């Protein structure tokens, strides 16, 4: 047998959760060949990689990223785009939290494009359809693979604009048709971000209608719940209702119980999901291994403040009377609004990315002084709405309970923006392997790998990925189980991990000894 690459002497974690076993792994083109260790193979011309002392695993599948446009930013996005693949991620699923770069009616594209900078960290286009999204990425070399969900918020704004009102029957039909086209072209499923405008304007019935389209394609309904704080249990039940009425499989994004009023509620949400699974419902979740979240500073303001998109928000922030109204809404709450600040406080909201004022990065809004609403408003105005924050909102015991759940897979929720992004962008997967699997013994390494690979591939229909077996796609990670660990910190969030020796993408070495090679074998998958 003629091979292009032979990886010899390693222990294989095959992605199924089965115990580690000794085997050599060959690569022919972009496919794998599994060999008995020391068995015959024609190594003539093959590159031989000595994996003695290492674990050979399928390439990690990050089920929750916001890398939709980072490879379209050219040199500005290069370092950010390198972070996931350096920690072993060979497939990223973007389009999460209801926000994707497509689809939209032609007349809606300019308004969406004006608002996309705040969400994606640069001048990123909005595409009319999935095909145009794919074509743009195929012209931008990348190190790992990418596929995208269809974001409900983008879909809604792409048909209705940013109006706070129900969709008319004709508008809902158009939304369903655009979604159908995208899923038929290869998009990975439907996502919602029901705390973000304009997604928050969509009621349960609207989402059910869209999820029925996903169900016809056997693709999941992926949801950032309408509330992950004090009303997290009610929000979970809404998601369950949507899944039941639509027939779509349910996947709960970055499951958490955040804010002091929700701490400990994983003791109820996780048994509820387990109960639903026992009853036959197809429901899973993902989780990142940190007690801090990250989102836009604009999400700290009430939903109505964001009506009309980024430009409308900035106009309201210039008006002292509107600011007073926002201040009261944060203090008193708004029915149905998550209210992150009300559940935690401005002293738990730190600035992650502020391009024009890097000196404020790492400091909380409270530490910046003055009235915090005014401080946040002035910061958003100075940055043209493009400010990412880190919210110190969760408890370690809740995070560990979700991580350990048999139905939880791993997603970084990485937000690749210049500045000091959350270290989950560069540290999630090695952190699970090192801190939680090896050091704390939360689960064995083969189970950790399964959560990152085979389980994720099964959920998102990524056939031939997430496993090490004959004929599978040649996406691999070679890791040292004794030293693998995250390096990224809040002060230096792009530091690479330790213990990731090599990453193979489509049969080509994309990372060697922690360093990105010149090869760019990544592609858009699922077409």
């Amino acid at each position: 047998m003629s091979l292009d690459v032979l990886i010899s002497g390693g222990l294989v974690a095959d992605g199924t959760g089965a115990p580690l076993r000794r085997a050599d792994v060959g690569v022919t083109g972009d496919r794998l060949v599994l060999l008995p260790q020391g068995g015959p193979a024609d190594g003539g011309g093959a590159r031989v990689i000595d994996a003695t002392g290492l674990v050979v695993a399928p390439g990690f599948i990050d089920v929750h990223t916001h890398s939709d446009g980072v490879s379209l930013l050219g040199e500005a996005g290069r370092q950010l785009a390198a972070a996931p693949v350096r920690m072993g991620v060979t497939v990223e699923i973007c389009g999460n939290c209801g926000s994707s770069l497509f689809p939209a009616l032609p007349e809606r594209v300019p308004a969406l494009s004006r608002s996309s900078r705040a969400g994606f960290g640069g001048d990123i286009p909005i595409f009319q359809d999935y095909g145009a999204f794919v074509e743009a990425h195929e012209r931008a070399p990348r190190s790992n693979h990418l596929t995208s969900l269809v974001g409900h918020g983008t879909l809604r704004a792409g048909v209705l604009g940013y109006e706070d009102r129900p969709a008319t029957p004709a508008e809902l039909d158009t939304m369903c048709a655009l979604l159908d086209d995208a899923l038929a072209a290869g998009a990975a499923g439907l996502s919602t971000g029901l705390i973000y405008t304009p997604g928050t304007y969509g009621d349960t019935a609207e989402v059910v209608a869209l999820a029925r389209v996903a169900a016809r394609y056997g693709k999941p309904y992926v949801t950032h719940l309408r509330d992950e704080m004090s009303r997290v249990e009610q929000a979970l039940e809404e998601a369950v209702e949507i899944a039941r009425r639509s027939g779509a499989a349910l996947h709960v994004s970055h499951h958490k119980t955040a804010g002091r009023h929700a701490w400990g509620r994983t003791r109820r949400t996780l048994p509820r999901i387990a109960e639903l699974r026992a009853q036959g419902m197809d429901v899973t979740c993902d989780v990142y291994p940190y007690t801090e979240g990250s989102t836009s500073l604009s999400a700290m303001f009430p939903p109505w403040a964001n009506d009309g998109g980024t430009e409308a928000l900035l106009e309201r922030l210039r008006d002292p009377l509107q600011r007073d109204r926002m201040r009261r809404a944060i203090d008193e709450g708004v029915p149905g609004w998550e209210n992150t600040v009300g559940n935690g406080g401005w002293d738990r909201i730190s600035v992650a990315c502020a391009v024009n004022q890097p000196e404020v990065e790492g400091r909380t809004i409270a530490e910046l002084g003055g009235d915090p609403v005014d401080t946040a408003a002035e910061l958003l105005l100075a940055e043209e709405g493009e400010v990412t924050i880190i919210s110190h909102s969760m408890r370690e015991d809740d995070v560990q309970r979700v991580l350990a759940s048999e139905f939880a897979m791993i997603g970084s929720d990485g937000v690749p923006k210049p500045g000091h992004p959350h270290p989950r962008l560069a540290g999630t997967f090695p952190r699970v392997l090192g801190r939680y699997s090896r050091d704390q013994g939360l689960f064995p390494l083969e189970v950790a790998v399964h959560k990152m690979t085979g389980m994720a591939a099964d959920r998102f229909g990524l056939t031939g990925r997430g496993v090490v077996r004959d004929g599978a796609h040649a996406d691999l990670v070679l890791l040292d189980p004794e030293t693998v660990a995250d390096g990224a910190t809040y002060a230096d969030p792009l530091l690479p991990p330790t213990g990731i020796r090599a990453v193979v993408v489509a049969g080509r070495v994309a990372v060697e000894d922690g360093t990105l090679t010149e090869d760019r074998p990544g592609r858009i998958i699922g077409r």
Side-chain angles (χ1 to χ4, degrees):
M1 181 184 299
S2 179
L3 302 173
D4 298 313
V5 179
L6 175 62
I7 300 168
S8 65
L11 283 170
V12 172
D14 68 5
T16 68
L20 303 180
R21 70 184 191 277
R22 297 196 175 277
D24 292 342
V25 180
V27 175
T28 299
D30 63 355
R31 299 288 170 162
L32 297 180
V33 180
L34 205 57
L35 306 162
Q37 199 151 82
D42 177 9
R47 175 179 180 180
V48 178
I49 299 176
D50 182 4
T52 302
L54 304 181
V55 168
V56 182
F60 303 146
I61 299 170
D62 191 339
V63 301
H64 192 108
T65 83
H66 295 278
S67 296
D68 308 58
V70 67
S71 61
L72 304 180
L73 290 173
E75 191 60 37
R78 192 174 304 279
Q79 185 180 17
L80 295 165
V85 71
R86 286 198 301 181
M87 64 173 172
V89 172
T90 58
V91 177
E92 295 187 63
I93 301 175
C94 65
N96 281 282
C97 297
S99 181
S100 57
L101 291 181
F102 63 93
L105 297 175
E107 63 270 24
R108 296 293 187 187
V109 167
L112 268 69
S113 296
R114 288 194 293 272
S115 291
S116 71
R117 183 178 182 89
F120 296 103
D123 293 320
I124 304 295
I126 296 294
F127 302 98
Q128 290 183 39
D129 54 38
Y130 182 67
F133 170 83
V134 170
E135 289 171 10
H137 279 82
E138 287 179 340
R139 294 192 297 269
R142 54 181 300 114
S143 294
N144 62 3
H145 306 309
L146 185 72
T147 188
S148 182
L149 301 162
V150 183
H152 163 247
T154 303
L155 183 60
R156 194 174 214 277
V159 175
L160 282 74
Y162 292 93
E163 297 181 39
D164 180 5
R165 63 172 177 82
T168 66
E171 288 168 336
L172 185 55
D173 286 347
T174 300
M175 291 167 66
C176 288
L178 291 175
L179 174 60
D180 189 283
D181 289 346
L183 295 174
L190 169 70
S191 82
T192 55
L194 298 177
I195 73 160
Y196 301 115
T197 55
T200 187
Y201 305 146
D203 62 14
T204 302
E206 175 178 304
V207 182
V208 167
L210 293 166
R212 284 191 181 120
V213 180
R216 291 202 300 269
Y217 286 90
K219 295 184 178 182
Y221 168 57
V222 181
T223 181
H224 179 146
L225 298 173
R226 206 176 288 270
D227 197 312
E228 296 177 317
M229 293 187 165
S230 61
R231 293 177 58 82
V232 62
E233 291 165 84
Q234 295 94 321
L236 177 59
E237 291 307 318
E238 181 193 26
V240 170
E241 179 185 352
I242 290 165
R244 280 182 171 152
R245 289 171 57 186
S246 68
L250 173 61
H251 183 79
V252 179
S253 295
H254 44 54
H255 184 44
K256 63 175 77 75
T257 53
R260 61 180 181 268
H261 300 302
W263 288 338
R265 291 201 193 184
T266 54
R267 292 190 181 95
R268 297 201 289 270
T269 60
L270 295 172
R272 175 60 174 148
I273 294 173
E275 175 189 38
L276 291 163
R277 287 169 58 85
Q279 294 170 355
M281 177 173 279
D282 186 358
V283 52
T284 53
C285 69
D286 63 68
V287 58
Y288 51 81
Y290 297 87
T291 56
E292 297 80 15
S294 183
T295 189
S296 170
L297 180 58
S298 61
M300 302 302 100
F301 290 88
W304 55 260
N306 290 277
D307 285 356
T310 302
E311 291 180 343
L313 167 66
L314 298 179
E315 190 61 35
R316 291 186 184 96
L317 292 175
R318 294 185 184 97
D319 183 343
L321 295 179
Q322 292 287 339
R323 283 196 200 180
D324 287 342
R325 186 183 169 205
M326 295 175 200
R327 190 177 289 108
R328 288 193 301 273
I330 293 169
D331 290 343
E332 299 169 6
V334 174
W337 175 42
E338 189 172 79
N339 196 0
T340 300
V341 174
N343 278 281
W346 289 107
D347 60 334
R348 301 181 73 85
I349 306 298
S350 59
V351 180
C353 306
V355 174
N356 298 325
Q357 300 176 82
E359 68 276 6
V360 306
E361 293 175 356
R363 302 172 65 187
T364 69
I365 297 296
E367 287 172 342
L368 293 176
D371 176 88
V373 171
D374 288 336
T375 299
E378 292 301 326
L379 183 56
L380 280 165
L381 288 168
E383 300 291 330
E384 298 181 20
E386 187 184 346
V387 180
T388 302
I389 58 95
I390 290 172
S391 172
H392 304 263
S393 59
M394 287 167 273
R395 242 174 33 182
E396 178 70 13
D397 60 333
D398 284 315
V399 172
Q400 289 197 24
R401 272 191 287 272
V402 183
L403 279 167
S405 298
E406 65 176 0
F407 45 79
M409 57 200 73
I410 307 303
S412 71
D413 200 7
V415 182
K417 290 186 180 180
H420 285 73
H422 195 301
R424 65 195 185 190
L425 175 69
T428 289
F429 290 80
R431 184 175 176 86
V432 171
L433 292 165
R435 176 182 171 89
Y436 289 104
S437 176
R438 181 190 60 232
D439 299 343
Q440 298 192 13
L442 208 57
F443 31 66
L445 185 143
E446 59 265 29
V447 171
V449 170
H450 176 55
K451 287 174 173 288
M452 302 171 173
T453 57
M455 187 189 298
D458 288 345
R459 163 47 79 220
F460 289 93
L462 301 177
T463 305
R465 299 187 189 275
V467 288
V468 177
R469 67 173 181 229
D470 284 339
H473 290 277
D475 298 338
L476 297 168
V477 180
L478 279 65
L479 63 95
D480 182 342
E482 300 301 320
T483 64
V484 64
D486 56 312
T489 66
Y490 290 95
D492 201 344
L494 296 180
L495 280 176
T498 57
I500 302 292
R501 294 292 182 83
V503 181
V504 177
V505 179
R508 291 146 63 183
V509 178
V511 174
E512 191 166 19
D513 293 328
T515 301
L516 220 60
T517 69
E518 294 300 314
D519 222 341
R520 298 290 182 269
R523 63 191 69 152
I524 304 299
I525 61 175
R527 296 193 70 178

